[in-house]
Amino acid sequence: MPNARAAHPTRRGILAAGGAIGLGAVLAACGDDDAKSGGSGDDAGAGTSGPWSFKDDRGTTVKLDAVPTSIVAFTGVAAALWDYGVQVKGVFGPTTTKDGKPDVQAGDLDVDKVTVLGNEWGKLNVEKYATLAPEVLITTTFDTAGTLWSVPEESKDKVAKLAPSVAVSVFDRQLTKPLQRMWELAESLGADMKAKKVTDAKAAFEKAAARLRAAAKAKPEIKVLAGSASPDLFYVSGTNFSVDLEYFKALGVNFVEPSEEAKKATGGWFESLSWENVDKYPADVIIMDDRASTIQPADITEGTWKKLPAVKAGQVISRSPEPILSYDKCTPLLNNLAEAIENAKKVG
């Protein structure tokens, strides 16, 4: 939040589009995971008591007798809800690193206070999930079909029978839309959206957006490339479908775009390059996928990478292709890119 089929992206495609995973074989799209869930965008909250309902981005309205307290969510979603004061019971997706510390996608989530049902993408222990007596499962979706992100294809039907699901779309829209939807979801779950911490975070986000717009306007010649590294390939992301890149582009950032021919093979998401051809697209600033499943810039040993003008100039920063959808966590993404552009020299 890409593949060879725009409507049903494979995981490798989606991750390569936002940045790439590039590890293992391409996984087929998860198909119609919705199990009686649809997509669109209105909600009806009930505060902290009484009936609860929420209309998600697939068009499905989930209705419960009371505001759910036994919530299971994809790690990044749980992290966003945590920022708004909503505690989930269980998570699935990259949660802790090998040394037990929170994964980058866990944000400030207290990982010791949640049950981890699967510590990597596409893993969800159904038996363990059932023991939590889940009332609702919340995740994102990266396609028009409403495929539930990181819910395993092989067990999606069993998962669907245990609790209804809510999906926030992070496909083909600007970052501000899913941020607003997560805000509405948190509010419906009883979060205090008038708390100073929350309102200050939103104000800081808006200030950061203005800063990035100004930086891009002041230096329109600075070309930014969104990349991701795997052992065998380097991925260059297009801006068409990723919520962060679409938003940055709308603010005026001048992005490198893969060729239309190359993007056509991946449903418009990205282009994969051999390390020998990593210099195909000149760039002044490179923003690199920060997820643990990818190779981080400091660990790239390819000589062709080290010779890139942006790398030699130290104009490489991190990017979160699956941003934690709270204003608090998205503000640094804007500020970091703004600062990189403000300080960038034309080298590409």
Side-chain angles (χ1 to χ4, degrees):
M1 239 52 338
N3 125 191
R5 290 171 292 172
H8 292 279
T10 62
R11 181 203 176 210
R12 179 177 180 180
I14 291 174
L15 295 178
I21 180 101
L23 302 175
V26 176
L27 299 178
C30 288
D32 294 324
D33 254 312
D34 35 75
K36 298 195 171 83
S37 299
S40 199
D42 301 318
D43 71 274
T48 56
S49 63
W52 179 82
S53 68
F54 189 86
K55 186 176 182 181
D56 77 356
D57 291 338
R58 299 166 303 170
T60 291
T61 299
V62 175
K63 296 181 179 181
L64 299 174
D65 293 337
V67 176
T69 56
S70 184
I71 302 169
V72 171
F74 177 69
T75 301
V77 171
L81 292 175
W82 175 274
D83 285 348
Y84 292 129
V86 177
Q87 173 73 55
V88 307
K89 185 177 286 188
V91 297
F92 58 99
T95 306
T96 59
T97 58
K98 291 180 180 179
D99 58 6
K101 295 180 179 179
D103 183 89
V104 65
Q105 290 186 256
D108 292 329
L109 180 68
D110 189 337
V111 295
D112 294 325
K113 290 186 176 180
V114 294
T115 299
V116 181
L117 303 173
N119 196 28
E120 59 182 286
W121 188 92
K123 300 294 183 182
L124 197 166
N125 186 311
V126 180
E127 290 71 23
K128 202 172 182 180
Y129 176 57
T131 66
L132 297 180
E135 295 172 280
V136 65
L137 178 147
I138 308 174
T139 186
T140 52
T141 183
F142 277 83
D143 60 24
T144 57
T147 303
L148 297 177
W149 188 238
S150 199
V151 172
E153 166 70 12
E154 65 274 12
S155 57
K156 65 177 184 179
D157 292 337
K158 292 180 180 178
V159 169
K161 289 177 181 178
L162 292 169
S165 60
V166 166
V168 174
S169 178
V170 286
F171 173 72
D172 195 17
R173 59 191 59 196
Q174 293 180 27
L175 179 60
T176 47
K177 180 64 175 179
L179 273 172
Q180 179 61 30
R181 295 295 288 134
M182 192 62 71
W183 173 289
E184 294 166 358
L185 177 58
E187 185 173 38
S188 80
L189 293 169
D192 180 4
M193 310 313 284
K194 294 181 180 179
K196 188 176 187 302
K197 176 184 176 182
V198 174
T199 57
D200 283 355
K202 189 171 185 179
F205 176 86
E206 292 167 351
K207 183 178 180 180
R211 179 186 178 184
L212 180 54
R213 187 189 296 276
K217 184 177 181 180
K219 288 190 172 182
E221 74 280 5
I222 297 299
K223 299 272 300 180
V224 178
L225 182 148
S228 187
S230 74
D232 300 318
L233 296 170
F234 181 81
Y235 300 86
V236 178
S237 299
T239 62
N240 289 353
F241 300 135
S242 299
V243 291
D244 62 329
L245 301 186
E246 281 202 21
Y247 185 51
F248 300 159
K249 180 171 64 175
L251 291 175
V253 176
N254 182 8
F255 277 102
V256 169
E257 294 285 354
S259 69
E260 290 304 315
E261 181 179 1
K263 288 195 296 182
K264 187 176 181 180
T266 63
W269 285 97
F270 68 99
E271 178 176 359
S272 56
L273 301 174
S274 67
W275 283 104
E276 290 75 16
N277 295 314
V278 73
D279 61 352
K280 179 177 180 179
Y281 298 107
D284 305 297
V285 173
I286 300 176
I287 56 176
M288 290 291 290
D289 188 341
D290 67 358
R291 289 169 295 185
S293 53
T294 66
I295 301 176
Q296 297 307 299
D299 298 320
I300 298 175
T301 58
E302 299 291 340
T304 48
W305 163 261
K306 295 180 179 180
K307 292 178 182 178
L308 293 178
V311 176
K312 292 171 68 176
Q315 295 177 177
V316 179
I317 65 170
S318 64
R319 173 202 169 204
S320 299
E322 290 183 66
I324 294 172
L325 298 172
S326 71
Y327 289 104
D328 180 69
K329 293 302 178 292
C330 287
T331 295
L333 309 183
L334 295 169
N335 279 326
N336 291 345
L337 181 53
E339 182 179 12
I341 294 174
E342 290 164 355
N343 297 329
K345 297 177 182 179
K346 185 66 183 174
V347 295

